[in-house]
Amino acid sequence: MRVRVEQTALPGIGVRHDLMTESGRRLGVVSHRNGRRDLVLYDPEDPDSCQHDIPLTDDEAEALADILGASLMLGQLSGLREQAAGLLTEQIAIPAGSKYVNKRLGDTKARARTSASIVAVLRQGTVNVSPDPTFRFEAGDVVVVVGTRQGLDGVTAILAETDPDV
Amino acid sequence: MHETTILLIEVGALLLLLGLLGRLSRRFGVSPIPLYLLAGLAFGHGGLLPLNASEEFFAVGAEIGVILLLVMLGLEYSANELVGNLRSAAPAGLIDAVLNALPGFGFALLLGWGWVAAVVLAGVTWVSSSGVIAKVLGDLGRVGNRETPVILSVLVIEDLAMALYLPLVTALLAGVGLMKGGIALAIAVFTVVVVLAVAIRYGHLISAALSAKDPEALLLGVLGLTLLIAGVAAKLQVSAAVGAFLVGIALSGPVAHHATELLSPLRDLFAAVFFVFFGLVTNPLDMPPVLLPALLLAVVTMATKVATGYLAARRVGIAEPGRWRTGLALTPRGEFSIVIAGLAVSALYPVDPKLAALATAYVLITVVTGPLLARLPDTQWFKQWLRTRAAAAARTPAPLPAPTGD
């Protein structure tokens, strides 16, 4: 499952990461030292040469990473859904006013109270898979929860601005 | 007062002309260096319209131009990149030195210019232009290519080698003989090693002393430090250019990044002045007799550069087309060759005056044809030629056949 990513230093320019896909295409990212980054696609006929060189702004790169990360996540979750009927997944955002901002995941006691599990937290384009109980939330985090309908609603209520049980 | 007025008019007119020439060259997608050289030839000694009042200004400006070219070169690399790269790239650098310095060396001896001129010409034919090549790679969208690190590491080795070569040449040209030349070289080696070591270990401290937050203070600080160190280096006969290069290497992180942005326009200005000045002090009448030798030398050394790149890329397992791209991208010579020839021109005991003319003609030829040659591997017929070659190689068993592409 792990993909081998090659890292190459480009003296005076920055660094390049590239990988070979299963379909035989090579693609990479050139990170320039001045903060610019390029997505590069290599020529299948001449694997040393890049066919396309697409400059990405910070926002574009983040958006692309989000799309790739999120679609992967959803793909895995939908696979899970097929295995266990009746189990639902939901993405719940933590509002800035929630009392669990800056609190640990364990403090919510979400699993004990709702029997739904927090399986991942999305934060600024990065995915924290299986966060442990010491994981600290920040405003704007999106938690991915797996559970029954009732359980999911329970977690939503806990993370909302006013925790019903406290 | 009158002198100053004429100086302003001359400098202004020439800079304006350079601006127009620069724009023209960009329209055709070529380096402006050859046009600057030609402009200098036209307005210098024995040219169409000699400028007299501004010569001193251009002489000082040219000096600053070299220093800025070198400090910017140093800023591009971090000390870690230079040293980390050294072991893996050393064989390629060695091939490069042997294949490209020797033709220049032999050529000068053949022309009977003496061995000091031979050492100078060896340097002129050896070093590719990092500036031109980096730009060509960017323009052709090849920064991500897998052979690009090979090209860059050859350039890094060349630049680092220059830090040892320039002091040697400076000493030789000062007429101090082998003994003192050896001492100058030893001082240079010692300085370079110390600066690299300090830059790797304490680079962040030096950079911290120059805050990246205040642009004005940073600009003055970096420029002042560079000129100061360059001057001290020149006093020690280690060559001002090397001093500047080392300052560039010692700076790192955000300071280096911001200094690059701040110094770029200054570099562009003074580098243009430098190229013009080189043309100014070269007599165009010296050019015609050396044109043919320069052309011959250019053809030979472009071939050896292609061979260098080809071999260096093959070492790291790049396929056939990439090897050609590496070799052809390395062909242009430019600012560094002119820096070396400039040293010879301004030397205490000038070598054969034809050397400057030859170097000018040589750089004119390579800096124009080099970027065009770099485009060659992208053309259809070149790819076709490679395919035919690969097909032929496939019939007769050969190691590492290139991908056929069909």
Side-chain angles (χ1 to χ4, degrees), chain B residues 64-73 267 271 274-275 335 339:
Chain B
I64 297 178
V66 174
I67 290 169
L68 285 175
L69 275 173
L70 270 288
V71 71
M72 297 285 290
L73 191 64
R267 191 258 326 254
F274 165 68
F275 291 117
E335 64 280 350
V339 170

Side-chain angles (χ1 to χ4, degrees), chain A residues 3 8 11 19 35 46 48 57 62-64 69 100 110 117 128 135-137 140 145 149 157:
Chain A
V3 177
T8 316
L19 59 89
D46 174 6
D48 297 320
T57 64
E62 197 180 333
L64 191 62
Y100 292 107
S117 293
N128 301 286
F135 184 92
R136 277 186 190 277
F137 289 123
V145 192
R149 181 73 265 159

Side-chain angles (χ1 to χ4, degrees), chain A residues 38-104:
Chain A
D38 293 355
L39 181 65
V40 290
L41 306 175
Y42 290 89
D43 190 341
E45 288 189 6
D46 174 6
D48 297 320
S49 144
C50 57
Q51 200 170 29
H52 299 290
D53 182 342
I54 308 162
L56 294 177
T57 64
D58 288 1
D59 289 342
E60 288 156 2
E62 197 180 333
L64 191 62
D66 264 350
I67 297 166
L68 291 173
S71 72
L72 185 66
M73 192 79 187
L74 294 178
Q76 287 169 350
L77 290 175
S78 67
L80 191 73
R81 200 176 298 173
E82 281 164 19
Q83 286 171 21
L87 214 52
L88 298 172
T89 60
E90 201 159 84
Q91 297 190 26
I92 303 167
I94 299 188
S98 166
K99 74 180 277 260
Y100 292 107
V101 169
N102 284 328
K103 289 275 170 50
R104 289 182 305 188

Side-chain angles (χ1 to χ4, degrees), chain B residues 241-263:
Chain B
V242 172
F245 179 59
L246 293 177
V247 171
I249 289 174
L251 296 176
S252 60
V255 166
H257 178 49
H258 285 110
T260 311
E261 281 178 0
L262 288 169
L263 287 176

